[in-house]
Amino acid sequence: MNHQPTYVIVGASLAGAAAAQTLREQGFAGRIVLIGDEIELPYERPALSKGYLLGTDERAKIYVHDECWYADHAVDLLLGRRVTLLDRVAHQVELDTGARIGYAKLLLATGASPRRLRLPGAELEGVHYLRRVEESDRLREAIRAGGRIVVVGGGWIGLETAAAAREFGCDVTVIDPQPAPLLAALGSEMGAFFAGLHLHHGVDLRLSHTVTEFRGTGRVNSVLTDDGSEFAADAVIVGIGAIPNIELAEQAGLSCDNGIVVNEMLCTQDPDVYAVGDVANSYRPFYGGHLRTEHWANALHGAPVAAQAMLGQRIAYDKLPYFFTDQYDVGMEFSGWIGPDGYDRLVTRGDVAGQAFHAFWLTDNRVVAGMQVNLWDDGIAPVDELIRSRQPVDPDRLADASVPLAAHVTV
């Protein structure tokens, strides 16, 4: 009789697969059940709006592991199955088939879902959202056909898909209610940089406007905005943010506030239930508070911490938020967190016009966030060091590209 414990992971995603991998690497010999409501093997999502959408990345490249890996590592992979109930008293989850699976420890990696528009015509064919691989497949078909594409939302998904559509020769219009794209993520100055990038590549930016209606008979053929303008559309891409999938946690009485609330070890108030990835609002010791981020690195780096914590190890998740983007000939990495209070100064060093530079967001002359654009020799590591040092910097000296970034951190 097998007396080894069962660990259940809800969410066959990058975070879920990475957690399963870590459990095995750390010597866990019990049963691992990885449950996902998609029929695809666990995969990484960034390529869905980048290389996979463009067709430069093959489908096999997006998978975290090939199918054999799960069998070879004794991971029970249940795909196309949805968990409908979390019974914390019985230590069981219930599937949409009615079957129940007991657990000793449970990891919720349920991710997030695209925020949807509730407007007239929003259900018309040709209105696309992007979260799953099959949605990227359909979107690629639409933009490969060329024609007129309207993108609703000037965030990362909106701009990346706009860039992909332009690569295929589409006429692209981006509509966003803010005066600059990426305003919440980067502020007005760097939002203006990305606006200029898209204008240079022929995108029609319609900022400070909202969409009021989609029109068409069966299929979308135009988009209306609040100023009465109407834009012809062969397809529409909506990228207006995401909502964490907290339904299971809420139903089970777990604390939720902009995600599932967890401590620095990614544990909920139930010592046998953990959460990771897009759905987790985790306590970050560096910031002294809770933070939820929806980026690839959060899943990649958080999953091993959750797995080790489930095994009883004292470990904290305290990575700085990180994200990256590829648009046209611009590659960018960002580290840090601007926070709700914003920043009081932006410093750039390098050639902004030539698209090879650093940018730093400062509060009280301390770097709270930074990014590098097309500067790959050192990557983002020197920016991390500046942020973690919490040391004040001389903004003028920081802007001087002849002064190494390491020189701004004193031991």
Side-chain angles (χ1 to χ4, degrees):
M1 184 179 294
N2 183 6
H3 295 289
Q4 293 286 352
T6 296
Y7 282 12
V8 172
I9 302 170
V10 181
S13 56
L14 167 60
Q21 177 180 340
T22 301
L23 288 172
R24 289 297 185 231
E25 289 174 347
Q26 292 289 312
F28 179 66
R31 184 187 181 200
I32 300 175
V33 183
L34 179 56
I35 307 167
D37 61 359
E38 297 185 61
I39 61 173
E40 295 285 341
L41 293 172
Y43 59 89
E44 303 189 27
R45 299 186 191 276
L48 303 188
S49 59
K50 300 180 179 73
Y52 183 73
L53 180 60
L54 284 166
T56 56
D57 290 345
E58 296 181 359
R59 195 182 190 93
K61 188 176 179 179
I62 71 173
Y63 295 126
V64 183
H65 302 294
D66 61 27
E67 189 171 4
C68 293
W69 184 92
Y70 299 94
D72 291 345
H73 292 81
V75 175
D76 293 343
L77 188 59
L78 303 183
L79 298 177
R81 291 287 180 264
R82 186 169 57 88
V83 175
T84 58
L85 179 69
L86 165 55
D87 186 339
R88 293 199 288 130
V89 175
H91 272 60
Q92 294 178 336
V93 294
E94 184 174 299
L95 306 181
D96 50 5
T97 61
R100 284 199 167 209
I101 301 173
Y103 66 85
K105 299 287 185 181
L106 175 72
L107 177 61
L108 297 173
T110 48
S113 296
R115 191 179 301 276
R116 294 188 173 265
L117 284 173
R118 308 297 178 188
L119 296 174
E123 301 306 318
L124 288 170
E125 186 179 350
V127 177
H128 297 266
Y129 293 83
L130 184 56
R131 178 70 182 179
R132 300 190 172 201
V133 64
E134 67 269 16
E135 293 169 334
S136 187
D137 289 336
R138 290 194 292 268
L139 183 54
R140 190 193 311 131
E141 287 184 18
I143 63 177
R144 272 183 171 171
R148 301 156 301 184
I149 305 295
V150 174
V151 178
V152 182
W156 297 115
I157 291 293
L159 294 191
E160 288 175 359
T161 55
R166 286 297 296 141
E167 296 279 2
F168 282 108
C170 298
D171 293 328
V172 178
T173 301
V174 174
I175 303 170
D176 190 86
Q178 300 298 326
L182 302 169
L183 191 63
L186 301 181
S188 58
E189 302 97 326
M190 286 298 103
F193 168 78
F194 279 95
L197 174 66
H198 282 266
L199 289 169
H200 176 73
H201 283 85
V203 173
D204 182 8
L205 288 179
R206 300 291 174 138
L207 303 174
S208 300
H209 289 293
T210 59
V211 172
T212 57
E213 182 181 353
F214 299 117
R215 287 184 176 175
T217 303
R219 183 177 185 85
V220 68
N221 59 36
S222 69
V223 177
L224 272 66
T225 56
D226 54 358
D227 63 349
S229 299
E230 184 169 5
F231 301 91
D234 298 300
V236 171
I237 305 167
V238 180
I240 56 171
I243 302 172
N245 296 326
I246 60 173
E247 295 81 5
L248 272 179
E250 278 191 319
Q251 162 267 316
L254 295 172
S255 178
C256 295
D257 180 13
N258 184 31
I260 303 171
V261 178
V262 293
N263 63 18
E264 67 273 17
M265 294 189 295
L266 303 178
C267 187
T268 69
Q269 78 263 31
D270 184 326
D272 295 327
V273 181
Y274 295 73
V276 69
D278 294 0
V279 76
N281 187 359
S282 61
Y283 181 82
R284 306 290 183 94
F286 181 78
Y287 292 110
H290 282 79
L291 184 61
R292 187 179 74 85
T293 56
E294 297 174 351
H295 304 296
W296 163 86
N298 185 40
L300 182 69
H301 298 305
V305 172
Q308 291 173 75
M310 292 166 73
L311 294 172
Q313 300 178 27
R314 297 293 302 180
I315 187 170
Y317 179 53
D318 202 23
K319 287 280 189 180
L320 295 177
Y322 166 92
F323 58 84
F324 71 98
T325 190
D326 295 307
Q327 300 174 36
Y328 309 110
D329 51 354
V330 165
M332 180 276 276
E333 293 180 292
F334 178 101
S335 183
W337 183 48
I338 296 174
D341 296 328
Y343 58 98
D344 52 38
R345 184 165 183 173
L346 181 85
V347 173
T348 60
R349 58 184 273 149
D351 187 359
V352 177
Q355 300 176 358
F357 65 96
H358 282 95
F360 300 95
W361 288 259
L362 274 58
T363 298
D364 296 329
N365 284 338
R366 289 174 171 83
V367 177
V368 296
M371 76 177 189
Q372 65 88 2
V373 174
N374 289 339
L375 297 175
W376 302 104
D377 288 345
D378 295 324
I380 202 68
V383 176
D384 283 357
E385 291 178 10
L386 271 173
I387 297 169
R388 286 197 176 275
S389 77
R390 301 187 193 271
Q391 294 178 8
V393 297
D394 178 342
D396 293 332
R397 189 164 177 256
L398 183 62
D400 185 350
S402 69
V403 179
L405 288 179
H408 299 279
V409 180
T410 59
V411 178

